[in-house]
Amino acid sequence: MRLQALQIHKSFGATKALVDVSFILEPGKVHALVGENGAGKSTLFKICAGAIPMDQGEMTISGKPYAPKSMQEAQAAGVALVFQEITINPSLDISENIFIDRMQKYAGPLGITRWKKLRQEAQRILDSIDAGISVDEPLSSLDLGRLKVLEVARALSYEPQVLLLDESTAYLSTREIETLFRAVDSLRNHDIAVGYISHHLDEIEKLADEITILKDGRWVGNYERGQLSNDEIENLMVGREIGKHIYPPTRQYAPEQEPILTLNAVAVPGQLYGIDLNLYRGEVLGIGGLQGGGGEALLSVLNGDVAPQSGTMRLGNREYRPRRPFDAWGAGIAYLPGERTREGLIMEFSVRENLTMAAIPRKGPMIDQAEEKRMVAELMPSLLIKAESPNVPCTALSGGNLQKVVLGKCIAAKPDILLLNNPTRGVDVGARMHIYDMIRRLAEQGVSVIMLSEDLPELIGNSDRIAILRRGKVSKIFDHDEFPSEEEIISYMI
């Protein structure tokens, strides 16, 4: 099945998301769509999948007119989309999430669900992509990576001839990415056309047969595998030469200064075992490790989501025992979570409301609207947030701009310590560079940063020191005068 989208136009108010963009998906090929956040990639996929209408243009499937009015129509025509953000319903179980809109298919004569048949079919789909997930597991036991694999399985349950994957590896571990890649290779071998969006050009290089580059909603070019280097792709995406030095200089902090945060023998059953760490003022402390190694658990303890069973934490010379995230924010510790839409934002709220929600300016019992306006007018340009106005809902923003809004919310709180959980996940190279600069500027202003990252070049390039966690313990700390390779870091992770 060949999907052809020709001369597509789409605007949201005064914002032109797509201008005269064409894109062709061939059976048995993986076609990557790349560009900065806000370039129009997700918008184009949503149009192809019937999630939103186009303003102008035409689409065909195998030469026949194709204009789906809904995702259900697109799915019936053989086109399925896996969204960038997690869309799993937490009130349903695994098999129900896979067949969420087709439960009647498994209803018996009296309308009673045939659960055995439903679970068997759901398990068959999961096993077909080596997901390593049992339908008997509680949904709450799945981390973000496995939830994304579940979403891929749900898309495959429609037996599509065209599968669109929008940043589907953003939340996946290395093992889960390999699982997805094997599934994509299997789809390609069965002549399914695959559209693929990712900001990780090493994935594109490994997986894609063709590449289309978008910039500011316009078509830049279409290229075969190997025709361009990654540097050339990045330059065409952002319209300028990026080069290899995307990380700002690290800071040479004075080791004899008193730490701003001290952890002694901090333990959480099944997650952390006797963690000892110091954090210094103005330092960027990188945290590395495999998924489940303890990095996210450490941030949860510091953020007040999880209480340690034993050990002590001190902020300066006072004890630190947060009972909830509100306590952490009140103590000057801000948190940028790993899943921005579920934990970092209220998507239906405006950009303005999200930016100021952690530090609402007040004049007596009322919101100080003049101060709020000043805060937003300062934050939006400093973070290069692209939005029609501060009053548009966050649902109208691209993934990279959403990440900047969450970072802006943290900055607005004027924290002493900033916790970052994969701060550039799902963000393009241009936005990554700007976020790195913001992190370094905050550190220069005296903000201490703890940055958990699964991106090893990011971890090495941005950290003053790096602590590696393995099976809930600190296996190694690389000091500020050490420059570890990726191989050295990995050796302490596994």
Side-chain angles (χ1 to χ4, degrees), residues 248-286:
T250 56
R251 176 175 177 265
Q252 297 296 317
Y253 69 94
E256 65 274 7
Q257 66 177 284
E258 289 296 316
I260 185 173
L261 174 69
T262 303
L263 278 65
N264 288 318
V266 170
V268 175
Q271 299 181 69
L272 297 174
Y273 304 95
I275 299 296
D276 294 326
L277 274 178
N278 289 332
L279 176 69
Y280 298 92
R281 186 171 299 280
E283 176 189 24
V284 179
L285 174 63

Side-chain angles (χ1 to χ4, degrees), residues 191-413:
D191 279 341
I192 292 176
V194 179
Y196 189 83
I197 293 174
S198 176
H199 291 302
H200 298 288
L201 295 186
D202 55 339
E203 292 180 12
I204 301 295
E205 184 179 33
K206 183 175 182 180
L207 203 61
D209 300 297
E210 296 180 70
I211 299 171
T212 290
I213 300 174
L214 299 183
K215 184 182 185 302
D216 298 328
R218 298 176 185 272
W219 183 87
V220 173
N222 188 73
Y223 305 91
E224 298 291 329
R225 181 206 292 267
Q227 192 172 344
L228 297 178
S229 68
N230 286 353
D231 284 348
E232 289 171 324
I233 293 172
E234 288 178 345
N235 295 344
L236 290 171
M237 283 168 51
V238 302
R240 65 186 186 279
E241 186 170 347
I242 295 293
K244 296 191 178 297
H245 304 291
I246 68 172
Y247 305 109
T250 56
R251 176 175 177 265
Q252 297 296 317
Y253 69 94
E256 65 274 7
Q257 66 177 284
E258 289 296 316
I260 185 173
L261 174 69
T262 303
L263 278 65
N264 288 318
V266 170
V268 175
Q271 299 181 69
L272 297 174
Y273 304 95
I275 299 296
D276 294 326
L277 274 178
N278 289 332
L279 176 69
Y280 298 92
R281 186 171 299 280
E283 176 189 24
V284 179
L285 174 63
I287 304 294
L290 301 175
Q291 274 194 357
E296 292 201 339
L298 175 62
L299 295 189
S300 294
V301 166
L302 294 173
N303 185 45
D305 270 330
V306 174
Q309 185 183 60
S310 59
T312 61
M313 298 188 291
R314 300 190 68 82
L315 276 175
N317 58 7
R318 69 185 190 275
E319 188 177 16
Y320 176 59
R321 295 181 65 183
R323 297 173 181 268
R324 51 185 176 161
F326 180 83
D327 297 334
W329 285 81
I333 298 180
Y335 177 50
L336 186 149
E339 215 294 285
R340 53 187 171 242
T341 57
R342 292 201 308 173
E343 303 175 62
L345 300 168
I346 300 176
M347 293 295 290
E348 294 75 20
F349 280 21
S350 68
V351 173
R352 170 182 54 80
E353 290 168 314
N354 275 285
L355 280 171
T356 60
M357 69 168 61
I360 299 174
R362 295 197 176 274
K363 185 179 288 184
M366 308 296 290
I367 295 176
D368 187 338
Q369 294 184 347
E371 176 61 16
E372 182 185 49
K373 185 176 180 180
R374 186 201 65 76
M375 287 170 61
V376 173
E378 181 179 301
L379 284 167
M380 287 187 68
S382 69
L383 289 161
L384 302 181
I385 296 171
K386 296 178 183 177
E388 188 177 342
S389 87
N391 297 315
V392 300
C394 281
T395 51
L397 270 58
S398 67
N401 283 299
L402 291 175
Q403 192 78 336
K404 292 177 187 176
V405 173
V406 184
L407 180 58
K409 180 184 76 171
C410 295
I411 293 172

Side-chain angles (χ1 to χ4, degrees), residues 65-114:
Y66 170 65
K69 295 182 175 61
S70 67
M71 290 188 68
Q72 289 73 27
E73 280 193 23
Q75 288 157 358
V79 181
L81 168 65
V82 178
F83 285 97
Q84 177 179 355
E85 308 298 343
I86 300 290
T87 59
I88 295 298
N89 188 329
S91 64
L92 303 178
D93 68 20
I94 289 174
S95 57
E96 288 173 310
N97 267 288
I98 290 178
F99 294 103
I100 191 166
D101 57 350
R102 290 155 291 159
M103 291 294 292
Q104 69 278 5
K105 177 181 175 183
Y106 296 94
L110 299 178
I112 299 173
T113 302
R114 293 177 290 181

